[in-house]
Amino acid sequence: MPFAIGQSNPNLLPDALSASKVGVWEWEVAGDCMRTDATCAGLFGLPAHQAEQGLPLQAASDAIHPDDLPTFQRQITDVIERGGLFVAEYRTCPSASETRWVLARGRFEVDEDGVVVRGRGIVIDITESKREGHVEERVVFLAMPAEGELSPLIRATDMAISTYRELEQMGAEGGRLRAVARPLLVALGRELVRSTVQQEQEVEAQPRSKPIH
């Protein structure tokens, strides 16, 4: 079933964040089938219809900036071996003349045998935040905390993603409920951007120790 696209109230957020877009994705690891909504597909230059039906991960990886791709591939390899949470900030090239900055947030689930079976999450377009100088121009792969140390924001985002995906199984009724649930998912995604920006600024503001000669 295709992902639904909704709207949120841009007046509640700073300009750079209200301009950001939030897409939803899911990747079945064993069959290498990645499904996304149209927003996510657009950030990777993928045909929306094909992305809704399912494409291999390579289709999205091909759109990642060449300078960021090796690190992305290492991080993906690591997370599909262990499962758990994943946050990464990198550039995509949806067309030859366009570069976007995205923040990807997801969770990779393991089965009873400890094998990673799927990942699901969101991708947030933070290009305008970059252009306005809110985030340093660098690729970031964040080390996520242990499950018992998750912040309320991370837990709320996980629950919103799960709820949104469950509603897909409810047919027409689920479509109406997704229209209500999506603004919450968008707001949580943008709050995740805001939180990540704040964390980076706090790290940058910390005094660096002088080298010992």
Side-chain angles (χ1 to χ4, degrees):
M1 180 181 297
F3 290 90
I5 304 299
Q7 301 291 332
S8 61
N9 185 352
N11 297 322
L12 299 179
L13 298 162
D15 290 343
L17 294 183
S18 65
S20 64
K21 301 175 182 178
V22 179
V24 182
W25 59 270
E26 179 175 285
W27 180 38
E28 296 290 341
V29 177
D32 190 17
C33 181
M34 182 190 67
R35 297 175 59 242
T36 82
D37 65 3
T39 299
C40 185
L43 291 173
F44 290 85
L46 302 173
H49 177 71
Q50 293 181 26
E52 289 171 354
Q53 299 303 315
L55 290 168
L57 179 65
Q58 187 65 46
S61 298
D62 286 343
I64 295 177
H65 193 284
D67 291 345
D68 303 343
L69 183 57
T71 305
F72 172 83
Q73 290 174 328
R74 288 195 298 270
Q75 295 293 329
I76 285 293
T77 298
D78 179 61
V79 78
I80 63 176
E81 289 179 352
R82 59 175 172 78
L85 297 172
F86 174 77
V87 174
E89 180 186 306
Y90 52 86
R91 291 164 291 181
T92 67
C93 303
S95 68
S97 61
E98 183 181 15
T99 299
R100 311 298 296 178
W101 279 90
V102 301
L103 179 70
R105 163 70 170 80
R107 176 189 293 276
F108 283 76
E109 305 166 359
V110 299
D111 62 16
E112 58 185 14
D113 297 319
V115 177
V116 175
V117 292
R118 73 180 55 84
R120 57 179 52 159
I122 55 179
V123 174
I124 310 162
D125 183 352
I126 58 172
T127 306
E128 296 305 317
S129 294
K130 289 286 190 178
R131 289 174 178 168
E132 295 189 12
H134 295 296
V135 188
E136 185 183 353
E137 293 290 328
R138 60 189 172 91
V139 179
V140 176
F141 288 87
L142 301 177
M144 296 302 295
E147 293 289 331
E149 301 173 356
L150 300 184
S151 70
L153 174 60
I154 291 176
R155 291 197 298 270
T157 304
D158 281 344
M159 287 187 285
I161 293 171
S162 296
T163 298
Y164 190 79
R165 297 310 310 276
E166 289 298 325
L167 292 174
E168 287 193 313
Q169 311 303 318
M170 296 176 58
E173 181 182 357
R176 291 190 293 271
L177 293 174
R178 285 199 308 274
V180 177
R182 185 171 177 83
L184 172 62
L185 182 60
V186 171
L188 286 168
R190 289 172 177 161
E191 186 61 32
L192 180 63
V193 173
R194 199 178 352 238
S195 174
T196 302
V197 169
Q198 182 178 358
Q199 291 177 32
E200 292 183 13
Q201 290 174 338
E202 290 174 352
V203 170
E204 291 298 319
Q206 291 178 359
R208 290 177 170 82
S209 59
K210 297 181 178 179
I212 299 176
H213 297 288

